[in-house]
Amino acid sequence: MAAAPARPQQLTSPDQVPEGLAKSDWSSIRAAYEAGRHAFQPTANGWQARNPGQQWTTTFDRRGFVAAPKAGGWTWGLELQGYGFGAHQQTIAGIPAVQAEGSRLTYQWDSAVQEWFINDQRGLEHGFTVSTRPAADPAALTAPGIPPPSLSFLLAVRGGLRPHVTPDALGVEFRDAAGATVLNYAGLKVWDAEGKILTSHFELADSSPTAPGTPPAVRLLVEERGARYPITIDPIAQQAYLKASNTGAGDQFGYSVAISGDTVVVGAWNEDSNATGVNGTQSDNSASAAGAAYVFVRSAGTWTQQAYLKASNTGAGDNFGYSVAISGDTVVVGAQNEASNATGVNGTQSDNSASSSGAAYVFVRSSGLWTQQAYLKASNTGAGDNFGYSVAISGDTVVAGAYFEGSNATGVNGSQSDNSATRAGAAYVFVRSSGTWSQQAYLKASNTEANDFFGRSVSISGDTVVVGANRESSNATGVNGTESNNSAASSGAAYVFVRSSGTWSQQAYLKASNTEAFDQFGYSVAISGDTVVVGARYEASNATGVNALPGTGGCALNNTACQPGTQSNNSAERAGAAYVFVRSGGVWSQQAYLKASNTEAFDRFGYSVAISGDTVVVGAYAEDSSTTGGQSDNSASDAGAAYVFVRTVGSGTGTWSQQAYLKASNTGADD
């Protein structure tokens, strides 16, 4: 009798490496696969690009573009009609020179204007580069008392959606016949050759100024006086603005977010309803700060709320939704202040004698319906431990942080009973087999000490977990330095653990390249494959961009003798930083030191971090720009921003650069 064929390996995460392949080979295969399915393909009438993430197909016909969702329902596009100053408009005629290379396509309209498109995992990016200043009426530019005309671009709208300029004039909502917003063309940014942000805005127009009533159009206006060419114009097609189905003041919807494919989960830890389970009644707000989580799904480019999640034992003050994570059809939600004295998986929930011990809840989706699968507690539940303060998931493995746990154990699966290291912190690993969850590991730092907050942040990718301890105090720098000298209070650290045949061990002890007291390195962590990013929300250097020089060291706050723009000039208090580490052959090293393009004191860049493949995003929740005046206009205090960095594929050791500066479509102070 012939042997049965081997069962194919089931991959539970894109970061999981198939058996028999090296991680570097798998990364190359994935990169080639992603590049291939986002590439521009020639057609009979031009080019076409598919975007699996947005589920759009976009066609390019040498005039403009038209996008349509996979399921149909609408089409949308833009076509450049003309550009210039006032009456000196250059009308677009003929067809451009077109170049398509991989996931980038360009229209070269003339010697001055290039229109370009980039199709990748983020979506379809659209922009213009103007190499030289267009001709203008000299008299209009110099007329006394009259503002000079704006550089304008006239864009005809293609398809069935209709434009509506947002109140701040920095975006355009495209709505269907029923008035529903299908997509946002927003986040408008314009900068010159020196990186100076130029004031810009949208307005409605006719596509033919001489023929009123023609199809709708939008005009993009740029105040470019004093700019040095070339200038770059880069609006962003924001796909969705998500709010809770039961929006309430103070709910803190958005405090935690996670995404996997076409599904987003959002936590609102201060939500007040007394509902339990999935899709319960939202109107009874008698359980103050019980918390909730919301699941949104994308179909044909349109986002809708799929589920409203509550704990199975909803209680006031539990903070369900303080942390969230998702992998495929599984969501995990942390409730750091849940109070039951249960231990392990699916224990009794009714005895609330362990105040703020914390819990985590696992939900699974089948045929679009969500149900709770597990109720997770620590193996050593203790009051005040805050288990579930952080959570992460990859396939069938969940990790939960309890940053106030107090045992003095070190390493993996040590003794949990001696609680002499108050708030040292711990992390717990759970695994699922045939739908049943069990605890696999109890993780502690290799240098456990009181008040280190190990578990403040956690992340997982396949068989690797990273845990942040933002109050750890050693003065070590780099990877696997000496842990015993605690002269850098709250400098912070991160710890990497790996699993082999079900057994976990610590692989690396990570510190900043410029370790200093109170920087809180490890406040946020994220991992994808062999790359880790660590945020340090209170780091204080005045550097900008990527890989500022270490400098001479020893610089005190506001010491003007320090070398400007280095890691050691700490004149930007609590500006924040992020650090990228990579693994090769089991050995970790720092690859990049990331700072904001507009570093300023108290922005908290690095408060949150995330990574997928070669893209990192860093949040700065206290950044102050208003968007109307560019990055330098700090009139919207604590509005917040996010920064996207990309790594050049095939660059040897890896070269990082900032790709985007993201602001909300409705930026407001204190958001």
Side-chain angles (χ1 to χ4, degrees), residues 481-496:
T482 302
E483 303 172 352
S484 56
N485 185 329
N486 285 332
S487 60
S490 294
S491 54
Y495 302 77
V496 179

Side-chain angles (χ1 to χ4, degrees), residues 2 229 271 458 460 477 489 615:
Y229 282 76
E271 192 263 1
V458 297
I460 182 172
T477 58
T615 303

Side-chain angles (χ1 to χ4, degrees), residues 576-652:
Y579 303 76
V580 179
F581 297 84
V582 294
R583 173 173 54 192
S584 177
V587 177
W588 290 87
S589 59
Q590 185 175 318
Q591 187 178 62
Y593 167 69
L594 307 180
K595 295 284 288 187
S597 49
N598 59 334
T599 294
E600 291 199 353
F602 302 106
D603 278 0
R604 274 82 160 185
F605 175 92
Y607 186 92
S608 56
V609 295
I611 181 172
S612 178
D614 294 309
T615 303
V616 160
V617 60
V618 182
Y621 84 99
E623 194 265 0
D624 300 323
S625 91
S626 67
T627 74
T628 55
Q631 299 182 27
S632 59
D633 181 348
N634 286 333
S635 59
S637 178
D638 292 351
Y643 302 76
V644 179
F645 298 85
V646 294
R647 175 170 50 195
T648 303
V649 178
S651 59

Side-chain angles (χ1 to χ4, degrees), residues 83-85 111-113 129-136 141 149-153 190-195 198 222-233:
Y83 69 93
F85 294 95
S111 60
V113 174
T129 300
V130 186
S131 59
T132 58
R133 196 168 194 266
L141 294 176
S150 302
L151 173 61
S152 70
F153 292 79
V190 184
W191 62 93
D192 72 358
E194 296 178 345
L198 308 180
V222 179
E223 311 304 324
E224 51 74 74
R225 191 173 191 179
R228 187 164 74 84
Y229 282 76
I231 65 173
T232 302
I233 302 165

Side-chain angles (χ1 to χ4, degrees), residues 36-51:
R37 67 180 188 154
H38 289 92
F40 287 86
Q41 303 294 337
T43 66
N45 298 314
W47 285 265
Q48 184 180 81
R50 291 184 173 86
N51 195 288

Side-chain angles (χ1 to χ4, degrees), residues 540-543 555-556 558-560 562-572:
S541 94
N542 69 343
C555 294
N558 294 323
N559 183 348
T560 57
C562 287
Q563 184 179 352
T566 68
Q567 299 181 29
S568 53
N569 184 330
N570 285 332
S571 59

